[in-house]
Structure formats: structure tokens, C-alpha cells
Amino acid sequence: MPRLEEHCWSCSCSASVKTQELSSARWVVCKTAEMMSIITSVLSHAYGSLHSLQSANLIRRGLVLFIVGVVLALVLNLLQIQRNVTLFPEEVLDTLFSSAWWIPLCCGTAAAVVGLLYPCLDQHLGEPHKFKREWASVTRCIAVFVGINHASAKLDFANNVQLSLTLAALSLGLWWTFDRSRSGFGLGLTTAFLASLIAQLLVYNGIYQYTSPDFLYVRSWLPCIFFSGGVTVGNIGRQLAMGSTEKLHND
């Protein structure tokens, strides 16, 4: 009988121990699940905040690039019109800025797209652009780009081929001085090709025209202007992206 009682007591003790172990295990599992839920909630909130900040920065950068493109389009197109390089209908020239309404809109949109693509392509290629990354260099790049446009309208050469070669050299010099990246060169060429193609189609459909066209319907130096413009807008976009990244890190 004592052995039987001792056996029953030991069985009840072992059952009680097992029950305590199971309840402890359930408690640990519940607490772990609660902690995981809290961590997941914090991480999702942080990711949402970061994503919203990145989206806001992207919109701000695009808006700045759009405004830059609009201002450059108005100024440079007015210069081309005054020198009779491009010809528009009379009703267009009677407007406030002596420019067709769609030119600044198209140029602003193109500037926003190209300026946002440059840092994205740098990140995709794993080649962060660090050559002359300061606003003073970007400002000089803009000044050189405006100078190249001014030269296309002001300089008089014996023929358009000499002018085109000169502007091509100046455009490559702008890229070498302020960029020197493969992505910048490739996007500059892509911008020049697409913009020249669009210009050819616009002139072909009678939207506007060039005086003395020598490259199908446009001037042969026009791709040089688009190339240098792409490099310039790309530098602005990179500088804006770098400033936004530094601000996010500081926050």
C-alpha cells in the first residue's frame, strides 16, 4: 500500500510539473507573439514613414526640376526666336513670353524625367556619382549650358557643319568637366536622340520650323544642345537627390 500511494503521489507530481511546464511554454509563446506583433507594427510604421518621406522628396525634386526646365525653355527659346533660328506663327509670337505654351511644359516635364533618372541609374549601376558634387559646380554647369545655347544663336560660321562641330566639342567638354560618368554620357546621348526625333516630327507636321535646316528638318547642331541640356539637368537632379539623402539620414 505505501508503494502504491508513493507511486500515485509521484504520478500526480509529475502531472503537475508537466502542467506547469505547458503553461509556462504557452506564456512564453504568447509573450513572444506579442513582442513580434509590436516589432512588426513598429517596423511597418517606420517603413511607411520612410516611404512617405521618400515620396515627398521625389515630388519636391520633380517639381524643382520642372520649374528649372520651364525657366530655361522660356529664356533659351526666346533667344533662338530673336536670332530667327526658329520660326513660329505670328499669333504665337504675340503671347507674353513670345513662346508657344507647350514648349515650357514639354521642356519642364522632360527636365523632371531626366533629372530623376540620373540618380536612379547611378544607384542601379552601383556607381554613385561623386565627381564635383557641390552646388557651385552645378551653377557653373548651368552657365556653360546657357553659353552653348547663346553660341548656337550668336556665332556666325561659314557653314552649319563648322558650327555643329564647335558645339559638339563644347558639349563634350561640358560633360567631361562636370560629369565624366558612363551613365551621364549614355543618358545624354539618349536624351539627344529622342529630343531630336521629336523635334523632327514637330517640324515635319508644321508646328514650327528652323531657318536653313541641314539635318533633315532641323539644324545639325540641335542634338548637341539636347546632349548638353541632358547632362546639365542630370547634374541638378543628382545634387537634389544627394541633398534629400543627407536630410533623410539626419532625420
Side-chain angles (χ1 to χ4, degrees):
M1 288 296 294
R3 289 182 179 179
L4 181 60
E5 291 178 356
E6 183 179 348
H7 178 70
C8 292
W9 182 80
S10 62
C11 288
S12 63
C13 287
S14 60
S16 177
V17 170
K18 288 181 179 179
T19 303
Q20 291 179 354
E21 289 179 352
L22 286 174
S23 62
S24 299
R26 290 195 190 97
W27 183 83
V28 171
V29 170
C30 291
K31 291 299 181 182
T32 303
E34 290 179 3
M35 290 298 296
M36 291 298 295
S37 177
I38 294 172
I39 293 173
T40 304
S41 176
V42 171
L43 289 178
S44 63
H45 179 71
Y47 176 78
S49 300
L50 181 61
H51 183 70
S52 62
L53 284 174
Q54 289 177 341
S55 299
N57 285 326
L58 189 68
I59 294 172
R60 270 198 299 269
R61 284 158 46 200
L63 183 60
V64 171
L65 289 164
F66 179 82
I67 294 173
V68 170
V70 168
V71 172
L72 289 176
L74 289 173
V75 174
L76 300 177
N77 188 55
L78 181 61
L79 177 65
Q80 299 285 345
I81 292 174
Q82 288 177 345
R83 295 292 294 179
N84 292 323
V85 177
T86 55
L87 301 176
F88 288 89
E90 291 294 333
E91 59 271 15
V92 170
L93 300 181
D94 291 334
T95 57
L96 178 61
F97 298 105
S98 295
S99 178
W101 62 269
W102 52 268
I103 289 182
L105 292 180
C106 292
C107 292
T109 304
V113 172
V114 173
L116 292 175
L117 274 177
Y118 264 75
C120 291
L121 186 59
D122 292 335
Q123 185 178 7
H124 179 72
L125 294 176
E127 299 177 353
H129 189 261
K130 298 180 180 180
F131 180 70
K132 293 187 176 182
R133 291 290 88 218
E134 65 272 349
W135 279 111
S137 175
V138 174
T139 304
R140 289 193 294 269
C141 183
I142 296 173
V144 173
F145 170 61
V146 174
I148 292 174
N149 278 269
H150 188 73
S152 68
K154 292 286 187 179
L155 293 181
D156 293 323
F157 283 83
N159 53 60
N160 282 333
V161 175
Q162 294 179 359
L163 178 59
S164 300
L165 292 175
T166 302
L167 294 180
L170 291 174
S171 299
L172 289 175
L174 181 142
W175 168 78
W176 181 256
T177 305
F178 300 104
D179 194 318
R180 297 189 187 182
S181 66
R182 293 185 303 168
S183 58
F185 187 78
L187 272 177
L189 287 179
T190 304
T191 302
F193 173 76
L194 293 177
S196 299
L197 180 61
I198 293 172
Q200 296 276 10
L201 293 174
L202 291 174
V203 176
Y204 176 77
N205 287 283
I207 306 299
Y208 73 105
Q209 60 181 335
Y210 284 87
T211 57
S212 305
D214 60 326
F215 180 52
L216 295 180
Y217 302 103
V218 300
R219 294 285 189 93
S220 56
W221 44 258
L222 193 61
C224 304
I225 302 297
F226 289 139
F227 174 83
S228 57
V231 173
T232 301
V233 172
N235 278 332
I236 298 173
R238 282 167 169 162
Q239 193 65 29
L240 289 172
M242 188 175 71
S244 298
T245 302
E246 292 176 354
K247 185 177 180 181
L248 284 174
H249 288 323
N250 292 332
D251 292 341

Coordinates of all heavy atoms in Angstrom, one line a residue, residues 163-198:
L163 N 29.8 75.1 -87.2 CA 29.2 75.4 -86.0 C 28.8 74.1 -85.2 O 28.9 74.1 -84.0 CB 27.9 76.2 -86.3 CG 27.0 76.6 -85.1 CD1 27.8 77.5 -84.1 CD2 25.8 77.4 -85.6
S164 N 28.3 73.1 -85.9 CA 27.9 71.9 -85.3 C 29.1 71.2 -84.6 O 29.0 70.7 -83.5 CB 27.3 70.9 -86.3 OG 26.1 71.5 -86.9
L165 N 30.3 71.2 -85.3 CA 31.5 70.6 -84.7 C 31.9 71.4 -83.5 O 32.4 70.8 -82.5 CB 32.6 70.5 -85.8 CG 32.4 69.6 -86.9 CD1 33.5 69.7 -88.0 CD2 32.2 68.1 -86.5
T166 N 31.8 72.7 -83.6 CA 32.2 73.5 -82.4 C 31.3 73.2 -81.2 O 31.8 73.1 -80.1 CB 32.2 75.0 -82.8 OG1 33.0 75.2 -83.9 CG2 32.6 75.9 -81.6
L167 N 30.0 73.2 -81.5 CA 29.1 73.0 -80.4 C 29.2 71.5 -79.8 O 29.0 71.3 -78.6 CB 27.7 73.2 -80.8 CG 27.3 74.7 -81.2 CD1 25.9 74.8 -81.6 CD2 27.6 75.6 -80.0
A168 N 29.5 70.6 -80.7 CA 29.8 69.2 -80.2 C 31.0 69.1 -79.3 O 30.9 68.5 -78.3 CB 30.0 68.3 -81.4
A169 N 32.0 69.8 -79.7 CA 33.2 69.9 -78.8 C 32.9 70.5 -77.5 O 33.3 70.1 -76.4 CB 34.4 70.6 -79.5
L170 N 32.1 71.6 -77.5 CA 31.8 72.3 -76.3 C 30.9 71.4 -75.4 O 31.0 71.4 -74.2 CB 31.0 73.6 -76.6 CG 31.9 74.7 -77.2 CD1 31.0 75.9 -77.6 CD2 32.9 75.2 -76.2
S171 N 30.0 70.7 -76.0 CA 29.1 69.8 -75.3 C 29.8 68.7 -74.6 O 29.6 68.3 -73.4 CB 28.0 69.2 -76.2 OG 27.2 70.3 -76.7
L172 N 30.8 68.1 -75.3 CA 31.6 67.0 -74.8 C 32.5 67.6 -73.6 O 32.7 66.9 -72.6 CB 32.5 66.4 -75.8 CG 31.7 65.5 -76.8 CD1 32.7 65.0 -77.9 CD2 31.1 64.3 -76.1
G173 N 33.0 68.8 -73.8 CA 33.7 69.5 -72.8 C 32.9 69.7 -71.5 O 33.4 69.6 -70.4
L174 N 31.6 70.1 -71.7 CA 30.8 70.2 -70.6 C 30.6 68.9 -69.8 O 30.7 68.9 -68.6 CB 29.4 70.8 -71.0 CG 28.3 71.0 -70.0 CD1 27.5 72.3 -70.3 CD2 27.4 69.8 -69.8
W175 N 30.4 67.8 -70.6 CA 30.2 66.5 -69.9 C 31.5 66.1 -69.2 O 31.5 65.7 -68.0 CB 29.9 65.5 -70.9 CG 30.0 64.1 -70.4 CD1 29.1 63.4 -69.6 CD2 31.1 63.1 -70.6 NE1 29.6 62.1 -69.3 CE2 30.8 62.0 -69.9 CE3 32.3 63.2 -71.3 CZ2 31.7 60.9 -69.9 CZ3 33.1 62.1 -71.3 CH2 32.8 61.0 -70.6
W176 N 32.7 66.3 -69.8 CA 34.0 66.0 -69.2 C 34.3 66.8 -68.0 O 34.8 66.3 -67.0 CB 35.1 66.1 -70.2 CG 36.4 65.7 -69.7 CD1 37.5 66.5 -69.3 CD2 36.9 64.3 -69.5 NE1 38.5 65.8 -68.9 CE2 38.2 64.4 -69.0 CE3 36.3 63.1 -69.6 CZ2 38.9 63.3 -68.6 CZ3 37.0 62.0 -69.3 CH2 38.3 62.1 -68.8
T177 N 33.9 68.1 -68.0 CA 34.2 69.0 -66.9 C 33.3 68.8 -65.7 O 33.8 68.8 -64.6 CB 34.1 70.4 -67.4 OG1 34.9 70.6 -68.5 CG2 34.5 71.4 -66.3
F178 N 32.1 68.5 -65.9 CA 31.1 68.4 -64.8 C 30.5 67.1 -64.5 O 29.7 67.0 -63.6 CB 30.0 69.4 -65.1 CG 30.4 70.9 -65.2 CD1 30.5 71.5 -66.5 CD2 30.8 71.6 -64.1 CE1 30.9 72.8 -66.6 CE2 31.2 72.9 -64.3 CZ 31.3 73.5 -65.5
D179 N 30.8 66.1 -65.3 CA 30.1 64.8 -65.2 C 31.1 63.6 -65.2 O 31.4 63.0 -64.1 CB 29.1 64.6 -66.3 CG 28.1 63.4 -66.0 OD1 28.6 62.4 -65.5 OD2 26.9 63.6 -66.2
R180 N 31.6 63.2 -66.4 CA 32.6 62.2 -66.5 C 32.1 60.8 -66.2 O 32.9 59.9 -65.9 CB 33.9 62.4 -65.8 CG 34.6 63.7 -66.2 CD 36.0 63.8 -65.5 NE 36.6 65.0 -65.8 CZ 37.8 65.4 -65.4 NH1 38.5 64.5 -64.7 NH2 38.4 66.6 -65.7
S181 N 30.8 60.6 -66.1 CA 30.3 59.3 -65.8 C 29.7 58.6 -67.0 O 29.2 59.2 -68.0 CB 29.2 59.4 -64.7 OG 28.0 60.0 -65.3
R182 N 29.7 57.2 -67.0 CA 29.2 56.5 -68.2 C 27.7 56.7 -68.2 O 27.1 56.8 -69.3 CB 29.5 55.0 -68.0 CG 31.0 54.7 -68.2 CD 31.2 53.2 -68.1 NE 30.6 52.6 -66.9 CZ 30.4 51.3 -66.7 NH1 30.7 50.4 -67.6 NH2 29.9 50.9 -65.5
S183 N 27.0 56.7 -67.1 CA 25.6 56.9 -67.1 C 25.2 58.2 -67.6 O 24.2 58.4 -68.3 CB 25.0 56.7 -65.7 OG 25.6 57.6 -64.8
G184 N 26.0 59.3 -67.2 CA 25.7 60.6 -67.7 C 25.9 60.7 -69.2 O 25.0 61.4 -69.9
F185 N 26.9 60.1 -69.8 CA 27.1 60.1 -71.2 C 26.0 59.4 -71.9 O 25.5 59.8 -73.0 CB 28.5 59.5 -71.5 CG 28.9 59.7 -72.9 CD1 29.4 60.9 -73.4 CD2 28.8 58.6 -73.8 CE1 29.8 61.0 -74.8 CE2 29.2 58.7 -75.2 CZ 29.7 59.9 -75.6
G186 N 25.7 58.2 -71.4 CA 24.6 57.4 -72.1 C 23.3 58.1 -72.1 O 22.6 58.1 -73.1
L187 N 22.9 58.6 -70.9 CA 21.6 59.3 -70.8 C 21.6 60.6 -71.6 O 20.6 61.0 -72.2 CB 21.3 59.6 -69.4 CG 20.5 58.5 -68.6 CD1 20.3 59.0 -67.2 CD2 19.2 58.2 -69.3
G188 N 22.8 61.3 -71.7 CA 22.9 62.5 -72.6 C 22.7 62.1 -74.0 O 21.9 62.8 -74.7
L189 N 23.3 61.0 -74.5 CA 23.1 60.6 -75.9 C 21.6 60.2 -76.1 O 21.0 60.5 -77.2 CB 24.0 59.4 -76.2 CG 25.5 59.8 -76.4 CD1 26.3 58.5 -76.7 CD2 25.7 60.8 -77.5
T190 N 21.0 59.5 -75.2 CA 19.6 59.1 -75.3 C 18.7 60.3 -75.4 O 17.8 60.3 -76.2 CB 19.2 58.2 -74.1 OG1 20.1 57.0 -74.1 CG2 17.8 57.7 -74.3
T191 N 19.0 61.3 -74.5 CA 18.2 62.5 -74.5 C 18.3 63.2 -75.8 O 17.3 63.7 -76.4 CB 18.6 63.4 -73.3 OG1 18.5 62.7 -72.1 CG2 17.8 64.7 -73.3
A192 N 19.5 63.3 -76.3 CA 19.8 64.0 -77.6 C 19.0 63.3 -78.7 O 18.4 64.0 -79.6 CB 21.3 64.1 -77.9
F193 N 19.1 62.0 -78.8 CA 18.4 61.2 -79.8 C 16.9 61.4 -79.8 O 16.3 61.7 -80.8 CB 18.8 59.7 -79.7 CG 18.0 58.9 -80.7 CD1 18.4 58.8 -82.1 CD2 17.0 58.1 -80.3 CE1 17.7 58.0 -83.0 CE2 16.3 57.3 -81.2 CZ 16.6 57.3 -82.5
L194 N 16.3 61.2 -78.6 CA 14.8 61.2 -78.5 C 14.3 62.7 -78.8 O 13.3 62.9 -79.5 CB 14.4 60.8 -77.1 CG 14.6 59.3 -76.8 CD1 14.2 58.9 -75.4 CD2 13.9 58.4 -77.8
A195 N 15.0 63.7 -78.2 CA 14.6 65.0 -78.4 C 14.7 65.5 -79.8 O 13.8 66.2 -80.3 CB 15.4 66.0 -77.4
S196 N 15.8 65.1 -80.5 CA 16.0 65.4 -81.9 C 14.9 64.8 -82.8 O 14.4 65.4 -83.7 CB 17.4 65.0 -82.4 OG 18.4 65.7 -81.6
L197 N 14.6 63.5 -82.4 CA 13.5 62.8 -83.2 C 12.2 63.5 -83.0 O 11.4 63.7 -84.0 CB 13.4 61.4 -82.7 CG 12.3 60.5 -83.3 CD1 12.6 60.4 -84.8 CD2 12.3 59.1 -82.7
I198 N 11.8 64.0 -81.8 CA 10.6 64.7 -81.5 C 10.6 66.0 -82.3 O 9.6 66.4 -82.8 CB 10.4 64.9 -80.0 CG1 10.2 63.5 -79.3 CG2 9.2 65.8 -79.7 CD1 10.1 63.6 -77.8

